[in-house]
Amino acid sequence: FGGDEFALLITEVDSKAAVVNIAENILQVLAQPFLLAGHDIFVNASIGMVWGEANYVAAEHLLRDADVAMYKAKDCTRHQYRWFESDMHSDAVQLLELETDFRLALDRREFELYYQPIVDLERMKITGFEALVRWQHPSKGLIFPNDFIGFAEDNGFIVELGTQVLEMACAHLADWDRVAGLDPELSVSVNIAPDQLLQPNILSQVEYIIETAGISSRHLRLELTERSIISNGKVVNEVLHALRQRNIRVSIDDFGTGYSALSCLHTLPVSCLKVDRSFVQPITHGSTSLCIVPLSINIAETMRMDVIAEGIENMTQLRQLQKLGCKYGQGFLFQKALPADEALSLLSRPFFSDWSMSRSA
Ligand code: C2E
Ligand code: MG
Ligand code: MG
């Protein structure tokens, strides 16, 4: 049916068990290695099965449902074969709808950036923002990134989405500069997905976007996760050095969440560590609640990097982080992410008095 897809029409069969038997036989045969030019080659197969009930009116519908079941089998590590079930159909339809919706959303530019302030914890001053994408869906309203970034990564949309995000962030910076003039130390941090970083033209693209917007590269920072840095060491190393040459700073996002980049961290030109929210959230008065936070701050200091604590939600967390010498922070205690114009207006009034007054109120 395709380069590597085959169909089997079984007519003389009286039970589902007999079909399962056939599927298991096929899998067993395919599990043997093939000898190819002196090498043992192993192949994997996934089988989707559908029982031809009387309510099927078209052959294509049988094939379609077998295909849906086959994809389910592929997703599932336990079974290599699956029977079609009617709710798989609604899953498949939903996924197809999401794909169509997403395509349209990119074309219609339905994605928007919200900005969460990054605060200097000594001076209580906003020194930057993190740009966070939202999907302004025409019928479903505002959708948060956790509900679509994974999908976009799995379906190859992330690269185009990432490009739009970079363009929007740089355009907003240029707007803010025109309207209010940018403080030289102000930066906007943009999240970059692993696949986006690995595009061969990522450097020229970033340069082009910065140039088109007419901003200085010192105002842009890129946030990469530990995951993308570790899994593609050599390429990433080259890209990071090239970014450094262009004065574009790089932060490691979600630092400490399991893929410990420690072994290669000292060789990479990274300017900032972002301590993940999951380490900031448990902080209370006690010193044991600090977990790896002091360590992360020390690592950053030793390597002459900035450190940002993510997800500060209360005064206890803030005070503890200040005591530990954590330089920067972001979190709902200060501000949730805001649309671009509201973020700009935060810059034009004294943040500290504004914020401390509202906290004491
Ligand atoms: P992230 O990069 O670690 O961003 C921080 C997330 O934590 C944001 O969620 C932010 O709203 C949330 N947050 C900030 N302070 C607090 C707090 O005090 N408490 C709590 N509970 N949450 C807080 P958001 O905007 O939903 O984004 C989630 C994730 O989606 C981001 O995590 C990032 O990994 C991804 N993401 C967002 N925008 C983009 C984008 O443009 N491109 C890519 N590739 N990923 C993005
Ligand atoms: Mg981030
Ligand atoms: Mg993070």
Side-chain angles (χ1 to χ4, degrees), residues 255-256 262 265 273-276 279 290-303 305-308 326:
F255 183 70
L262 284 181
L265 202 58
L273 291 187
K274 297 192 76 175
V275 180
D276 192 63
F279 301 110
L290 299 173
C291 185
I292 68 156
V293 176
L295 183 68
S296 310
I297 295 172
N298 277 340
I299 291 173
E301 234 164 43
T302 312
M303 299 190 184
M305 295 175 189
D306 289 336
V307 58
I308 302 180
C326 181

Side-chain angles (χ1 to χ4, degrees), residues 318-355:
L318 173 63
R319 294 284 176 252
Q320 287 275 43
L321 288 161
Q322 283 172 322
K323 260 195 248 162
L324 291 171
C326 181
K327 186 99 195 285
Y328 301 96
Q330 65 186 97
F332 294 169
L333 175 65
F334 305 117
Q335 188 67 65
K336 288 190 173 172
L338 297 168
D341 51 339
E342 291 175 43
L344 174 65
S345 70
L346 280 185
L347 290 178
S348 60
R349 51 175 203 249
F351 176 70
F352 178 58
S353 56
D354 196 53
W355 176 78

Side-chain angles (χ1 to χ4, degrees), residues 47 185 187 220 349:
I47 302 180
E185 83 175 327
S187 63
L220 182 69
R349 51 175 203 249

